[in-house]
Structure formats: structure tokens, C-alpha cells
Amino acid sequence: MDENRILGEQPISKLLLKFSVPCVIGLLIGALYNIVDQIFIGNSKLGYLGNAATGISFPIICVANAFAWCVGDGAAAYLSICSGRQDSESAHKCVGTGLTSTMIISVVLSVICLIFCEPLMKLFGASSATLQMACDYFRIIALFFPVYLMFNVMNSMIRADGSPAYSMVAMCSGAVLNIILDPICIFLLDWGIKGAAIATAAGQTVSFIICFVYFFKPKSFKLTKKSFRINTAMLRNLIIMGGSTFIIQISLVVMTLLSNVTLYKYGALSVYGSDIPISVYSIQTKVYTVVNNIAVGIALGGQPILGYNYGAGKMDRVKKTYFMILLTTLGAGILFTLIFEIWPEFVIGIFGTQNELYMDFAVKSFRISLSLTFVSCFIKISSIFFQSIGKAVHAMISSVNRDMVCFVTFTLILCSVLEARAAGTGIYGILLAAPLADFIAGAVITVLTIKFFKKLNTTEKQEEKHIAISETRPGTVVTIARQHGSCGKQIGELVARKLNVPFYCKELTAIVAKESGMAKEFISEDYDEPSEVFHQIYLSTNVGRQGIIAQEKVIRKIADAGACVIVGRAANHVLRNYSNLVRVFIYAPEEVRIGNIQKMYGDSYEEARLHMMRSDESRANYYRNTSGNEWQSFDNYDLCLDSSIGKEATAEMIADYIRRRNGEK
């Protein structure tokens, strides 16, 4: 509680420094793996052709990461929840399943990439001049996929196990070794592009070994031989929880593949040829990643501050934190934008000075493509801001609109139109697509942000009645799961009155928000976006996981206080180890439920039916993602009742069951 309170009391500038600086440093260290090779390669005799060759393999590495990180980040997410529950049994199965699955995935991907190396390089934009170098580089990288992917997955798990410092040491060690070995392998030993790949592989191997050692003495779980047997139900849950990572990585692949193919096609029709544009764009992407990571690091540092104060109703601190993040990020973004516009030669020169034609395209590319870098930073921090306050749909629009919608659309249209108007100018279409995508996506996010803050300004904080956990007598804890429209909440209230015990439903949300300081959007099972995709993305985020953990702690605290009735929130799963638990599921025929919804909300028949389907889907998604089980599986309950017999009769049956179970008359 004390640690939470500082988020609502200490100066925001001090809090941002405390949380953002480590985030920025960690992300920049991660970016080193992507950028160091290109700096040394560009300054060697390999030149821009070497950089083009390494850039061609980047999207394939992203594909490998997408599959491995999906499992790895899902495992890390589930491990965080297990740690919050103090569920060591599920934790070791989660880790073991994640590691075994990742090893299998990485070996399969490695074999496929080694066998089909040359066709893959051609598919992703290799020319006759870069094909051999691209294959030489990628074969070594692909050979070490098991080491690289296992390192990334283990690193995520180590952070989730509560050891971020150890995680950073592992990452830093590999990055530093890569920097040391690059000049030795490329220049001193004259291994060329193979040397760059070997240096990268060596750094990854060291990071892997450091991570591997950690698993002999983790904090929240203990691995045995049985841990490494793949649990299919667990694996499914990990894939679901890692879904957001997979989507983000595949989006990056689509964008990079489109860029490479477009640069290859239209570059060949221009005076620059295909290799110069691919080389330049590869460097530009890595430089942009550095700027992007600074913006993301600042925003991620503000995430717990935003979440706490939004949940605590301190909207002035929410606004102040947001605008402080915005101003800091825009300041950094404007600074880098000016550098790209005024001194692009300086940035390009870090990666080696090439021929006049190369420099001509590079300068144009940096000045045009990165002209709205500060807007791009605004888009990134807006996505994280909306995620921090539980607005998953807004967050998704912020992150996907720019890259997957605007950039892809403008690239396809502009390249074709320009080439049709003047031969050899189609290549400039992809350069213009980036700032146009920034402008349109930035405008959309600005509208969403203004609307949000207007609503925030016009919504006064309402005084809530004092809601707290009630101490009661020892006895039965009743959990009620219910289909929408089955009157499960009203039946739960009737049961609580008959047993003379406290009742918790919406009250539970208020208690969790009050005790944890988290926004209520992170806590409710009836999440306002029924789409399973958005729901899974939300639940896989850090704030989503923390909401689950906070809620489960309060549910156990309520059960420990004595006899009560709890409706929803997967409480039957959270309290599954309690001996005094009675798990009830309330259902009813569809027509009965639709009729009840019409009476409660005044909906038309179709509106009620849609309302019912969406709500049930939302509850099923929540239950599946938090427990790994199916919500409407009767095996998860002690008593399943059709409430069409009436609310009073159903409540009496539950109360009578509990009395008989307790040996009462």
C-alpha cells in the first residue's frame, strides 16, 4: 500500500525519473543488438551492400520472434499472475511448458530457414549483388535461433519472476560482447559479414547462459523434469496471453516486407538501383527504433503513475502526468527531427560514408521519411497512455492505424501514382508515405485524446458510499457465475439475505479499485469491448495482468473474512482450494434470458439478444484467460441451476443446498 501511495502523492517529475529512466535504458540496450552490426558493416569494405544484406534478414528474424515471443510473453504474463496468486504449482508448469515449446519452435524455424535460406532472401528483397552476403549472414543467425529465442523468452520470465536487474545484466552482457567482437571479427580477423553474424551469435549465447543459470534458483517456482512436459491447456493459455506480442511482431513483418519489396521494385526503376534504397531504409529503421524506444520508455515509466491516479480518481494528476510525458517526448522528438533535417549526413556517416548516389538518396530519405518523427513519438505515447487507463480499443487504434493502415495504404498508392506520372520516381512514394501516415494517424489520435480529456473535464468525481470488506462469521463462501439475463446477481442477493451474509458483486470492483489504486476498467469481468481479440490483448498487457492479480487478492481477502456470496470475477477458480466453498452456475433458456434483459433495460428483442451474446462472450473470454478453463463447463461447479423456475425459488434451492451441506435443518 505504501508503495502504491507514493504514486498518488510524490511529485510527478520525481516519479517519472524513477520509473522512466530504467525503461529507456533497457530499451536502448535492446536496440543495440539491431544497430551495432550495421555501424561496423557500413564502415567496412562491405559498405552499403553489407547493410542491405543484413536488412533483408530483419523481417524473417521478426517472424521467428513473433512465434517465440508469443509463447514467451504469454508465459511471463501468466507467471506474473501465478506469482500474485502464490500459485507455485501452475507457475512451474507455465515456465516448463513455455521453455519446451519455445525450444521446439526455435529448432523447427532454424531448420526451415537453413533449408530455404536462398529463396527466403530473394523473397525479402535480395538482389544478385547482395544475395550471397545475405545468405552468409542469415545462415549463422538462423543456426543460433534456439539460443536467441530461448534467451528472449527466459529473459521475459526472469523479469516476471521479480528480477529485472538480473534480466538487464543478461541483456547488457550480450550487447557489450557484441560491440567488442564486431570490430575484431569484421576487421581484425577479416571475416566480413560472417564475422558480424558470429559476433551477434556470441553475444546472444552469453546472454542465454546467464539466463540459463538463473533457472536453478528462481524466486516463485521450482522446476522439475515433469515441468518440461507440454501441458496443452497451459500452452493454449500462454498463446492467448501472448497474442498482443504476436500481432505487433507480425505487423512489423508485414510493414518491413512491404518496404523491402517496394524498395526493390521501384528502386530498380530509378537511378539508385535496388540495393541503395534497401540499405538506406534498413539503417533509417534502426535509427528510428532508437528514437521510438526513448519515447516508449518515457511512456512506460508513466504507466503505473497514470493507472494508479486514474483508479484513485485523481484526474488532475492523470492530466499532469500525461502532459509531462507528452512534453518530454515531444521535446526529444523535435530534437531528433531537427537533427534528421539539418544534419542527416552526420547520422548517415555513423554507418559509413558511401558513394555520392548513396548519400543523395540517404539524405532525401532521412529528411522526407523522418520529417514528422515528433508526431510518430506522440502516436506511440498515446497508445501506451490509453492502455494505462484501460482503454484497449483506443490503444489498439493508436498503435495499428499508423503502421498497418495508413503507411501500407499510402505506400501502395503513392509509389504506383508517382511511377505512372514520371518513370523512376516511384521510389519516392515510400518516402512520402511515412510522414503522411504520421500526419493522418496523429490527427486521429489527437481527436481521440481531446474527446477523452473533454469527457474527463466534464465528469466530476462522484462521492461513493463507504464500501469495505465486511467481517462476518465463519461459514460457507458461495460463488455464483451466471449467464447474462439469468438474474444471477439478483439471485445472489437473495441467497445472501437468506443466509444473512455479505454480498459482493459491483461492490467488489470498488473495493479492488480502492485498495489497489487501479482504474476500474482493469478490474471488471464485463469488459466493455466484447471482441475476443481486443479482450485478449487487454488481458495480456501489464496493467491487465495487474488488474487480475489485484482482484484475486481482494477475493481471497473477502473469503478469509468469513461467509459471504460473491458474484462473477471467476471467483470459483480463485477460491478453488477453499474447503468451505460452494460453486454455483446460474443459467436459463435463451428466450427467458432475452425476456429478462428486455424488462431490465427496455431493449428490443434483437438488442436484448445481441446484448446477451456480447456479455456472455465477454465473461467467457475473461474466465478463459484468467483460469485457462471454460466458463460454461459444468465440471467447474458444484451446483448448476436453471433460473427459469423463478428468482426466489432458485435462491431457496441454493440456500437449502448449503444448509443441508452444513448439516442444518
Side-chain angles (χ1 to χ4, degrees):
M1 286 297 293
D2 290 337
E3 186 177 346
N4 277 341
R5 283 200 189 100
I6 67 168
L7 298 173
E9 296 172 1
Q10 281 193 0
I12 291 168
S13 56
K14 183 178 178 180
L15 290 170
L16 271 178
L17 279 173
K18 177 181 177 181
F19 291 113
S20 293
V21 171
C23 286
V24 172
I25 292 172
L27 288 169
L28 289 180
I29 290 169
L32 282 176
Y33 270 115
N34 292 325
I35 204 168
V36 168
D37 281 355
Q38 296 208 275
I39 292 175
F40 286 110
I41 288 171
N43 285 282
S44 73
K45 61 184 180 182
L46 299 168
Y48 72 86
L49 290 176
N51 275 333
T54 59
I56 288 162
S57 65
F58 180 67
I60 309 175
I61 295 170
C62 288
V63 172
N65 281 336
F67 284 100
W69 287 358
C70 178
V71 176
D73 281 14
Y78 197 77
L79 181 58
S80 294
I81 294 171
C82 290
S83 297
R85 294 173 178 164
Q86 297 181 336
D87 184 359
S88 58
E89 179 64 23
S90 296
H92 83 87
K93 289 180 182 177
C94 156
V95 172
T97 296
L99 292 176
T100 304
S101 302
T102 302
M103 177 56 73
I104 293 171
I105 291 169
S106 61
V107 170
V108 170
L109 289 172
S110 180
V111 171
I112 291 172
C113 289
L114 288 171
I115 293 173
F116 300 103
C117 180
E118 190 169 315
L120 284 170
M121 293 300 100
K122 289 180 180 178
L123 174 65
F124 282 84
S127 67
S128 56
T130 59
L131 180 59
Q132 188 56 51
M133 281 192 290
C135 288
D136 288 344
Y137 180 82
F138 185 63
R139 282 194 180 103
I140 295 171
I141 297 298
L143 183 65
F144 280 82
F145 267 177
V147 169
Y148 173 55
L149 300 183
M150 286 292 287
F151 147 60
N152 279 298
V153 168
M154 294 166 85
N155 209 38
S156 296
M157 291 177 177
I158 290 169
R159 286 196 301 272
D161 195 42
S163 301
Y166 193 100
S167 166
M168 186 172 287
V169 167
M171 187 175 284
C172 286
S173 301
V176 170
L177 183 63
N178 187 20
I179 294 170
I180 294 170
L181 290 180
D182 259 329
I184 295 173
C185 294
I186 295 171
F187 299 108
L188 187 62
L189 299 176
D190 197 26
W191 289 346
I193 201 162
K194 290 182 180 179
I198 290 169
T200 299
Q204 292 166 357
T205 302
V206 167
S207 294
F208 166 77
I209 291 170
I210 294 171
C211 288
F212 181 79
V213 170
Y214 178 88
F215 284 81
F216 286 99
K217 285 188 178 180
K219 290 182 178 180
S220 62
F221 58 89
K222 184 177 180 181
L223 296 174
T224 65
K225 288 182 180 179
K226 292 182 179 179
S227 303
F228 296 97
R229 295 176 184 171
I230 294 180
N231 184 309
T232 52
M234 179 71 73
L235 179 59
R236 180 184 181 280
N237 209 35
L238 302 189
I239 291 171
I240 287 171
M241 298 200 78
S244 60
T245 302
F246 184 82
I247 292 170
I248 291 168
Q249 285 295 119
I250 291 300
S251 299
L252 182 60
V253 172
V254 171
M255 208 172 97
T256 308
L257 176 59
L258 173 68
S259 299
N260 282 358
V261 171
T262 303
L263 291 165
Y264 181 85
K265 176 183 176 181
Y266 290 99
L269 301 174
S270 72
V271 295
Y272 303 110
S274 58
D275 293 321
I276 286 176
I278 289 176
S279 175
V280 169
Y281 216 77
S282 174
I283 291 169
Q284 184 180 293
T285 300
K286 304 299 170 58
V287 171
Y288 171 75
T289 300
V290 172
V291 183
N292 178 68
N293 283 1
I294 292 172
V296 170
I298 294 169
L300 286 176
Q303 197 172 64
I305 309 168
L306 288 164
Y308 178 89
N309 287 287
Y310 187 74
K314 297 183 177 181
M315 300 310 170
D316 57 329
R317 286 179 66 85
V318 172
K319 287 184 278 188
K320 189 173 180 180
T321 303
Y322 171 76
F323 286 112
M324 195 169 288
I325 291 170
L326 178 63
L327 290 174
T328 305
T329 305
L330 284 181
I334 290 170
L335 175 62
F336 279 104
T337 302
L338 290 173
I339 291 171
F340 299 148
E341 293 299 312
I342 301 171
W343 301 292
E345 297 91 347
F346 170 76
V347 180
I348 298 160
I350 295 172
F351 298 86
T353 53
Q354 312 296 333
N355 61 51
E356 187 176 335
L357 205 57
Y358 173 91
M359 292 302 293
D360 178 64
F361 183 80
V363 169
K364 288 177 180 175
S365 182
F366 269 70
R367 281 182 172 158
I368 297 172
S369 292
L370 301 180
S371 59
L372 292 182
T373 296
F374 64 96
V375 178
S376 193
C377 291
F378 164 64
I379 293 168
K380 294 294 180 185
I381 66 123
S382 296
S383 175
I384 295 170
F385 167 70
F386 285 124
Q387 185 188 99
S388 302
I389 58 173
K391 305 294 182 184
V393 178
H394 287 57
M396 199 64 180
I397 292 171
S398 304
S399 59
V400 172
N401 187 38
R402 192 268 180 195
D403 296 337
M404 288 298 291
V405 179
C406 296
F407 180 78
V408 170
T409 303
F410 287 136
T411 296
L412 293 172
I413 293 173
L414 289 173
C415 288
S416 178
V417 170
L418 290 175
E419 188 64 32
R421 292 188 64 182
T425 61
I427 190 68
Y428 297 117
I430 192 171
L431 306 187
L432 291 166
L436 278 172
D438 285 329
F439 179 79
I440 298 299
V444 171
I445 300 308
T446 299
V447 171
L448 287 176
T449 306
I450 290 172
K451 286 180 68 176
F452 171 79
F453 277 111
K454 277 186 176 178
K455 185 177 179 181
L456 200 66
N457 288 332
T458 56
T459 304
E460 295 182 2
K461 183 183 175 184
Q462 296 179 348
E463 290 295 322
E464 295 181 345
K465 63 179 181 179
H466 179 68
I467 299 175
I469 297 173
S470 302
E471 293 289 336
T472 184
R473 67 179 189 276
T476 302
V477 174
V478 183
T479 64
I480 295 179
R482 78 285 188 210
Q483 291 180 327
H484 188 53
S486 65
C487 300
K489 180 186 173 185
Q490 295 95 317
I491 291 168
E493 287 181 292
L494 289 171
V495 172
R497 288 195 201 115
K498 290 177 182 293
L499 300 177
N500 193 27
V501 297
F503 171 77
Y504 300 94
C505 185
K506 297 297 182 185
E507 297 85 352
L508 193 145
T509 302
I511 293 169
V512 177
K514 180 182 176 183
E515 296 214 354
S516 68
M518 300 190 75
K520 290 182 181 179
E521 283 86 345
F522 305 150
I523 299 161
S524 175
E525 66 171 349
D526 295 323
Y527 182 57
D528 65 3
E529 173 51 57
S531 165
E532 184 170 6
V533 173
F534 280 122
H535 200 77
Q536 290 167 357
I537 289 169
Y538 161 70
L539 290 172
S540 69
T541 62
N542 181 59
V543 288
R545 297 195 299 268
Q546 292 305 314
I548 294 168
I549 292 168
Q551 181 167 267
E552 291 184 351
K553 284 181 178 177
V554 169
I555 288 172
R556 283 191 290 270
K557 195 171 179 180
I558 288 171
D560 290 338
C564 61
V565 175
I566 304 173
V567 173
R569 278 70 179 179
N572 65 302
H573 176 76
V574 177
L575 303 175
R576 62 193 179 281
N577 295 323
Y578 280 61
S579 59
N580 61 333
L581 180 67
V582 170
R583 305 166 299 167
V584 179
F585 186 82
I586 306 292
Y587 64 97
E590 186 174 295
E591 292 301 314
V592 172
R593 293 194 287 140
I594 290 173
N596 288 336
I597 294 168
Q598 286 181 286
K599 290 176 185 176
M600 284 188 286
Y601 301 105
D603 291 348
S604 67
Y605 181 89
E606 281 304 318
E607 287 173 339
R609 183 174 175 276
L610 185 61
H611 192 182
M612 176 189 71
M613 291 172 63
R614 284 182 171 177
S615 185
D616 281 354
E617 184 180 355
S618 177
R619 291 174 185 177
N621 289 337
Y622 181 89
Y623 193 86
R624 187 184 303 116
N625 283 287
T626 55
S627 71
N629 298 319
E630 291 302 318
W631 172 60
Q632 296 192 91
S633 173
F634 291 168
D635 292 340
N636 296 321
Y637 306 98
D638 302 306
L639 189 61
C640 300
L641 295 172
D642 180 350
S643 63
S644 61
I645 61 173
K647 291 181 282 188
E648 179 65 36
T650 306
E652 183 55 40
M653 287 180 69
I654 296 170
D656 186 57
Y657 174 86
I658 292 167
R659 294 188 197 103
R660 290 174 182 274
R661 185 175 181 270
N662 294 336
E664 302 172 11
K665 292 185 180 180

